[in-house]
Amino acid sequence: MAGLRLGPLLRYVDWESGSRATVWVEATRPCTAEVRCADGAAGTSPTFAVEGHHYALVVVTGLTPGSTTPYEVLLDGRRVWPPEDHPFPPSSITTPAVPQPEEAGPVRVAFGSCRWAAPPAHGHDAIGPDALDALATRLAADPEAVRPDVLLLLGDQVYADETSPATERRLAARRDLSEAPGAEVADYEEYTHLYDESWRDPDVRWLLSTVPSCMIFDDHDVIDDWNTSAAWLRDMRGTPWWHERIVSGLMSYWVYQHLGNLSPDALEADPVYAAVRAAPDGTETLRGHAAAADADPSRARWSYRRVFGRVRLLMVDTRAARTLDEQQRSMLRDGEAKWLREEMLADPGAVDHLLIGTSLPWLLPPLIHDAETWNAALCRGDRGERWARFGEKVRRAGDLEHWAAFPESFRRLTDLLREAGSGPDAPATVCVLSGDVHHAYIAEPRWSDSAGESAPAAHVLQLTCSPVHNSIPGYIRTGFRFGWSRAGRWLGRALARHGRVGSPPMDWRKAGGPWFGNQLMTLTLHGRKAALTLVQARAEPTGAQLETVLERSLTSNG
């Protein structure tokens, strides 16, 4: 008898038809997964197998546009979700009205990153309550509460290199932790432990069953500083355990996160998905795909596009898509950069709000930006071989690997954001949504006329929100605050002069923050209006609760 091992996760809701959605599940054995909705909509799919695990991504069709309908999950005809005596409201699928009426309601996009999912020890969580748990508590307590239309998880959904004591015990039962990679995950089976720990949390499990989600990886989904430099990659490939780690990391990401990012049409056209489903055991097919993607990043595209009415979201891979040669260093390889440009500039006038999801912030505190640009110049050899060796050590020790550490990519993205936000058909806002840095802030460019170009018509912003559930040492908090200060700016420019690098293509200011804590941001996009809310998780006797710390309009029209 098949049981439900993990899920369900409501992943994709089709905003073009309003009648389709996808639901992901993991079963305990091969079976047929079925989703049945109260309004008669349904979908079925046989499971596919990878490394002895059994998964299905069910395409639900026949949904009523503009409705909310509860659903249940059946395996081989037996209901497995919701379980008996489930303490949460029914899991449901909410669809948009199609076509969108002139007075369509707002689109709500919640986002954050960096969720270390270790369960609290003895009821006490040393890093504070989980923001996703707190969001689930709020929504479950009031079924009529306003829900996000989509939840963006911008990286570090699991920590392959920082396992909890419970996961470490499971690893120790399988192998000798005195041998590399020690208490870090080593293979696909151990990755499944991470997702178990993260997604079996009862509050998060219910939340992800009823709020659609979009995901993209960051470094800890594989390893800290993943693809930080060519020298780093050479060192990793010289270890006996790295190949299995990266292949298993990409395999598990494909199964647990990537597939659900895709539309039903994209799934149907995906040759890897078709081959894995067609095989009695898709392990070797998927392993071959992951190994090829690691050897040649152009063999896979992890970036993707989603549309929510007149809101366009582009989720960008800023890890696997890099070019690492120091003389041609780029955050995005040529094909990926071309894709991003085409998607950002497509269909002028069709978008009121353009969202760029990138796990790594585009705009950082000025001191940190200048330090990364300086470091990139040293590593490139601009100050000689001795400085280059020093620069590589500093790069790895300081995690200097954001957009600023790829100076030409930073300039290209800046120019592209300016172009996308210019002209009579420009969107009202162009927002870069990021995480990674374990605090939240708002940064706003100060555009200067260059080459005859004026400031863009759109309001361009960097919105950074992290972590969902993690911590940050006090000295790093102090460093981030100092990075925005006048003295920090002066020190940054001194480093830039030493590196013989020019000034950035524009200046920027901190328009809000920094805020520290376990937190989520939500964009509310209504017509050409945009508003931002920041909430933080607080521990209360009744459980984790959300406290609003910021509510702000992002557009002049309210």
Side-chain angles (χ1 to χ4, degrees):
M1 182 183 298
L4 185 65
R5 187 171 191 268
L6 201 57
L9 276 75
L10 175 61
R11 293 304 313 272
Y12 184 97
V13 172
D14 190 344
W15 277 65
E16 294 183 10
S17 71
S19 63
R20 300 187 300 175
T22 64
V23 176
W24 182 97
V25 296
E26 181 181 355
T28 58
R29 56 173 292 174
C31 62
T32 296
E34 180 180 1
V35 175
R36 291 181 186 171
C37 300
D39 66 355
T44 63
S45 176
T47 56
F48 61 88
V50 175
E51 293 283 6
H53 293 257
H54 307 280
Y55 310 93
L57 187 61
V58 180
V59 178
V60 182
T61 60
L63 292 162
T64 303
S67 69
T68 296
T69 182
Y71 72 89
E72 58 185 15
V73 177
L74 300 88
L75 300 179
D76 284 343
R78 185 177 69 91
R79 195 185 85 166
V80 294
W81 184 270
E84 298 295 332
D85 302 320
H86 197 223
F88 296 92
S91 300
S92 59
I93 302 173
T94 298
T95 56
V98 176
Q100 292 279 301
E102 289 188 13
E103 295 301 321
V107 177
R108 297 179 176 89
V109 180
F111 63 97
S113 79
C114 307
R115 181 173 179 264
W116 196 65
H122 310 297
H124 172 69
D125 193 336
I127 59 177
D130 187 322
L132 290 191
D133 280 341
L135 177 59
T137 299
R138 171 184 285 185
L139 298 182
D142 180 7
E144 300 302 317
V146 174
R147 297 182 180 184
D149 292 293
V150 65
L151 174 64
L152 311 185
L153 299 175
L154 293 166
D156 297 345
Q157 277 68 262
V158 294
Y159 279 71
D161 54 344
E162 296 179 24
T163 57
S164 70
T167 295
E168 187 172 337
R169 287 191 293 271
R170 295 181 73 178
L171 304 188
R174 299 184 74 235
R175 57 182 173 84
D176 183 356
L177 299 191
S178 67
E179 298 180 3
E184 302 180 14
V185 301
D187 58 21
Y188 188 92
E189 180 62 28
E190 294 179 4
Y191 262 103
T192 69
H193 300 340
L194 299 183
Y195 285 101
D196 286 352
E197 187 174 52
S198 182
W199 291 355
R200 279 186 178 173
D201 175 314
D203 297 279
V204 171
R205 190 174 194 175
W206 173 78
L207 178 71
L208 295 179
S209 77
T210 203
V211 175
S213 54
C214 295
M215 307 181 189
I216 195 73
F217 47 45
D218 198 19
D219 55 344
H220 290 285
D221 290 273
V222 175
I223 192 170
D224 189 26
D225 297 342
W226 176 28
N227 280 345
T228 193
S229 68
W232 178 94
L233 186 57
R234 281 196 304 273
D235 290 348
M236 297 307 296
R237 287 177 171 171
T239 66
W241 55 269
W242 172 248
H243 179 74
E244 183 60 35
R245 170 70 153 273
I246 184 61
V247 169
S248 295
L250 293 176
M251 289 173 67
S252 61
Y253 176 78
W254 186 91
V255 170
Y256 287 85
Q257 300 191 49
H258 175 69
L259 284 181
N261 294 329
L262 305 181
S263 70
D265 294 338
L267 288 168
E268 188 174 351
D270 190 317
V272 178
Y273 184 54
V276 168
R277 296 182 74 202
D281 182 348
T283 301
E284 290 309 311
T285 297
L286 184 55
R287 178 173 290 276
H289 175 66
D294 174 54
D296 179 3
S298 67
R299 297 286 296 275
R301 170 158 293 141
W302 307 109
S303 302
Y304 58 96
R305 163 180 163 155
R306 294 286 297 274
V307 176
F308 308 95
R310 290 182 59 82
V311 177
R312 182 183 302 164
L313 167 69
L314 303 176
M315 291 284 267
V316 184
D317 164 20
T318 54
R319 283 292 172 183
R322 297 177 175 184
T323 296
L324 297 178
D325 182 281
E326 291 295 346
Q327 304 308 315
Q328 304 177 55
R329 188 170 162 83
S330 178
M331 182 69 85
L332 305 177
R333 65 179 188 273
D334 290 346
E336 200 76 8
K338 182 175 182 289
W339 174 88
L340 180 60
R341 178 176 180 81
E342 290 174 349
E343 294 291 349
M344 286 181 65
L345 301 181
D347 303 321
V351 176
D352 288 328
H353 303 278
L354 178 60
L355 311 179
I356 312 300
T358 162
S359 62
L360 302 174
W362 162 54
L363 298 181
L364 292 163
L367 169 57
I368 298 173
H369 175 95
D370 286 335
E372 295 200 358
T373 304
W374 162 77
N375 178 262
L378 297 189
C379 294
R380 196 168 53 239
D382 291 5
R383 295 300 304 254
E385 184 177 342
R386 183 176 179 182
W387 277 107
R389 291 194 299 269
F390 172 75
E392 179 64 24
K393 292 179 181 179
V394 171
R395 173 191 275 163
R396 298 190 198 185
D399 292 347
L400 305 183
E401 51 167 351
H402 302 84
W403 284 91
F406 298 78
E408 186 57 32
S409 296
F410 177 86
R411 290 180 182 274
R412 289 178 181 174
L413 179 60
T414 300
D415 290 344
L416 184 54
L417 291 166
R418 183 173 192 155
E419 184 177 354
S422 299
D425 295 322
T429 65
V430 178
C431 296
V432 179
L433 314 181
S434 306
D436 181 68
V437 292
H438 289 210
H439 69 293
Y441 62 89
I442 306 167
E444 182 176 11
R446 292 171 171 165
W447 303 99
S448 58
D449 292 345
S450 61
E453 293 181 297
S454 59
H459 194 188
V460 181
L461 290 167
Q462 168 72 66
L463 305 176
T464 303
C465 186
S466 170
V468 170
H469 183 236
N470 214 315
S471 61
I472 183 170
Y475 72 91
I476 295 182
R477 295 187 186 206
T478 300
F480 279 123
R481 289 192 175 100
F482 179 71
W484 289 105
S485 69
R486 181 176 298 179
R489 286 176 180 266
W490 179 88
L491 179 57
R493 294 318 301 157
L495 289 174
R497 286 192 295 272
H498 177 265
R500 299 171 183 168
V501 297
S503 298
M506 84 300 183
D507 193 9
W508 57 94
R509 70 180 185 92
K510 174 171 62 69
W515 296 281
F516 298 93
N518 295 328
Q519 50 204 347
L520 290 166
M521 280 182 172
T522 299
L523 277 169
T524 301
L525 308 168
H526 196 182
R528 293 184 66 81
K529 297 178 181 179
L532 180 69
T533 304
L534 173 68
V535 294
Q536 293 184 336
R538 301 283 190 246
E540 301 291 345
T542 56
Q545 302 292 328
L546 291 178
E547 177 182 308
T548 300
V549 298
L550 174 75
E551 291 182 301
R552 179 179 298 180
S553 173
L554 301 181
T555 48
S556 59
N557 56 5

